Amino acid sequence: MPDRPTARAAIAAVTTGFEEITEPAVPGRGTAGDGPLSWAGYADSRARATARTGEEESVVHGLATIGGLRCVLLSFEFGFLGGSLGQRTGDRLEAAYAAARTRGLPLVSLIATGGSRMQEGMVALTQLQRVARASARLRASGPAQLAVVRDPTTGGGWATLGAGADVILALPGAQIGFAGSRVRPAGADPHAYTAEGQLAAGQIDAVVPPDELPKTLAHWLRALHVSGSPAPDAAPVPDALSAAGLPVTGWDAVRQARSPSRPHAEAYLNAYFDHRLPLSGDRCGGTDPGLLCGFGRRGGRTIAYVAQCGTATRPAGYRTAARVIRLADRLGVPVLTLIDTPGAANGAEAERAGAGAAIADAFAAMAGARVPVTTLVIGEGGSGGALALAAPGNTHVTRDSYFSVIAPELAAAILKRAPDEVHATADQLRLRPQDLVELGFARSVVQPLPPGG
């Protein structure tokens, strides 16, 4: 077996203080004999596990300090029967979630488990329902759930504590998957069951080297440990980064927005935030490199962001955006969206991936947000694929942007106009920044950042 850190070593590696919570034993919780199934030798196995690890169960939990911030932390001891979940494990996990809920603190889980404990049969398997219920109660009360996926994390532990967390970080090379190594289909791609494979598939948010984990967790706790009430103030509107003048014609607006030299989302985010924490993936097997999502810190304040990067937004991008917006709404964090797309991806692959449903979900997340959402159009605003992420009543535009019901070229084609009528069609669409303000769609044309500002 690989040399894996113990539960307490994993705790010590990321905390500056830890106070274990010891819960009184619940009568009948598998403490006597060979457990609920009378599995021969189970009591001896538990005794050997305790002698080897010094632990009475596969989970340790308590109050922790990470980067000066308080949280409830739980850590799995893989050396205790493979970090498996039994009834007493369920007691401890439920207690950890309850402690986070009653104290209003984030929950951080350091996970390393092989899944449900066979020696307890269905009694062990139903602990997953207990964990799911405890997680749902904590989510309803507000505090964030962060998971650090260690090696290995498989079975029900991954499908509840891991994959069910708001933010999922993983250590490099960690084995992650619902199926453990001994029960996978023959010939299954091993990369799919690694941290790196799960990141590529949109199932986790980041792979973090061990030496960077304490700082990363501290950043996340600082960003997510907020009031839980709707944010009273909207995110400030970013300054424009381009000194482009207002376009004279509709086609001038399109040309300026499509210019490769104008500032794109990365530049705006770098200028706006002091520090950013990216979130990645739609949790449905997809990612969109043309959409940047996450939480950022600006002058000591947390703001969530969703930023299009000038490409056609994929279904996975809309689902990721909806996930971030709903998390921000639950935590009481204002949202900033940057619009820049020629439109939603509309190829056959996008249709098979559920483009319509994904866009609908993004519209729904925006419409349901209780926190204020601020939108800045920084480039192309292509039809519903852009509108899905635009804030009704709080959208602003830069001088090198446009927004249109459809691209001028496509509008001309639909109207069966000649190619030389595209420019005139752009004028008719009234898509210039100043048109958008006059029409009431945009609140303002944002001015460029002052020199040296």
Side-chain angles (χ1 to χ4, degrees):
M1 185 175 68
D3 184 19
R4 297 184 174 94
T6 65
R8 296 181 190 274
I11 292 171
V14 298
T15 66
T16 55
F18 179 72
E19 177 186 348
E20 185 174 1
I21 298 175
T22 55
E23 300 293 330
V26 179
R29 287 303 198 218
T31 57
D34 285 326
L37 305 186
S38 298
W39 186 289
Y42 179 39
D44 291 340
S45 295
R46 289 201 312 269
R48 288 193 298 270
T50 295
R52 183 169 56 251
T53 65
E55 305 294 349
E56 296 292 331
E57 212 9 280
S58 58
V59 167
V60 175
H61 75 285
L63 301 175
T65 302
I66 299 176
L69 300 167
R70 297 288 278 171
C71 66
V72 173
L73 183 143
L74 65 88
S75 183
F76 276 77
E77 175 53 68
F78 192 79
F80 192 100
L81 302 180
S84 57
L85 280 69
Q87 195 170 44
R88 290 193 301 172
T89 321
D91 292 339
R92 294 192 177 192
L93 293 174
E94 191 171 53
Y97 280 96
R101 188 176 73 251
T102 57
R103 291 172 169 83
L105 292 174
L107 176 71
V108 178
S109 302
L110 310 179
I111 310 170
T113 173
S116 300
R117 193 170 298 169
M118 290 183 298
Q119 297 93 329
E120 294 187 19
M122 286 301 298
V123 173
L125 189 63
T126 57
Q127 302 311 303
L128 306 183
Q129 293 173 322
R130 291 181 71 192
V131 172
R133 183 172 58 248
S135 176
R137 288 174 177 170
L138 178 58
R139 185 172 292 107
S141 70
Q145 300 174 39
L146 290 82
V148 177
V149 186
R150 299 152 56 204
D151 181 56
T153 298
T154 62
W158 164 239
T160 51
L161 290 103
D166 298 313
V167 177
I168 308 172
L169 311 176
L171 296 180
Q175 178 189 166
I176 306 171
F178 186 63
S181 59
R182 298 182 184 181
V183 297
R184 295 172 193 159
D189 177 11
H191 181 68
Y193 301 89
T194 64
E196 292 75 12
Q198 296 283 13
L199 178 64
Q203 306 295 353
I204 65 174
D205 291 302
V207 175
V208 183
D211 59 343
E212 296 180 15
L213 188 58
K215 179 176 68 175
T216 301
L217 282 174
H219 281 312
W220 270 115
L221 289 174
R222 190 165 290 110
L224 300 183
H225 189 20
V226 288
S227 67
S229 300
D233 300 316
V237 182
D239 294 308
L241 300 183
S242 169
L246 282 172
V248 176
T249 68
W251 188 251
D252 288 336
V254 174
R255 180 178 50 80
Q256 287 184 185
R258 292 177 180 174
S259 170
S261 62
R262 68 158 171 82
H264 285 70
E266 191 80 45
Y268 275 93
L269 295 175
N270 288 340
Y272 191 80
F273 289 113
D274 305 319
H275 183 78
R276 279 191 287 141
L277 294 162
L279 289 171
S280 175
D282 65 356
R283 301 294 187 265
C284 298
T287 61
D288 185 351
L291 193 79
L292 301 177
C293 293
F295 286 72
R297 296 282 287 175
R298 174 186 167 92
R301 187 183 184 199
T302 299
I303 297 170
Y305 63 87
V306 173
Q308 293 171 318
C309 299
T311 58
T313 303
R314 303 175 186 176
Y318 292 112
R319 284 190 286 263
T320 304
R323 176 169 77 92
V324 173
I325 292 164
R326 290 191 173 107
L327 176 58
D329 188 58
R330 195 184 98 218
L331 298 176
V333 174
V335 178
L336 170 70
T337 67
L338 301 179
I339 301 299
D340 183 13
T341 180
N346 59 5
E349 182 179 353
E351 293 298 337
R352 284 192 291 267
I359 295 169
D361 195 40
F363 270 116
M366 292 287 285
R370 298 163 299 167
V371 295
V373 182
T374 301
T375 295
L376 179 62
V377 185
I378 63 173
E380 292 192 80
S383 194
L387 190 67
L389 298 177
N394 197 24
T395 290
H396 305 259
V397 292
T398 65
R399 294 176 180 179
D400 44 4
S401 71
Y402 79 87
F403 217 118
S404 179
V405 64
I406 193 170
E409 300 94 330
L410 298 178
I414 291 171
L415 296 171
K416 299 181 180 180
R417 292 179 175 178
D420 60 3
E421 296 184 79
V422 168
H423 292 194
T425 303
D427 287 332
Q428 286 183 287
L429 288 168
R430 297 200 64 194
L431 47 70
R432 299 175 304 167
Q434 59 268 43
D435 295 327
L436 299 172
V437 173
E438 186 177 337
L439 290 168
F441 170 74
R443 292 181 59 180
S444 72
V445 178
V446 178
Q447 298 304 308
L449 187 68

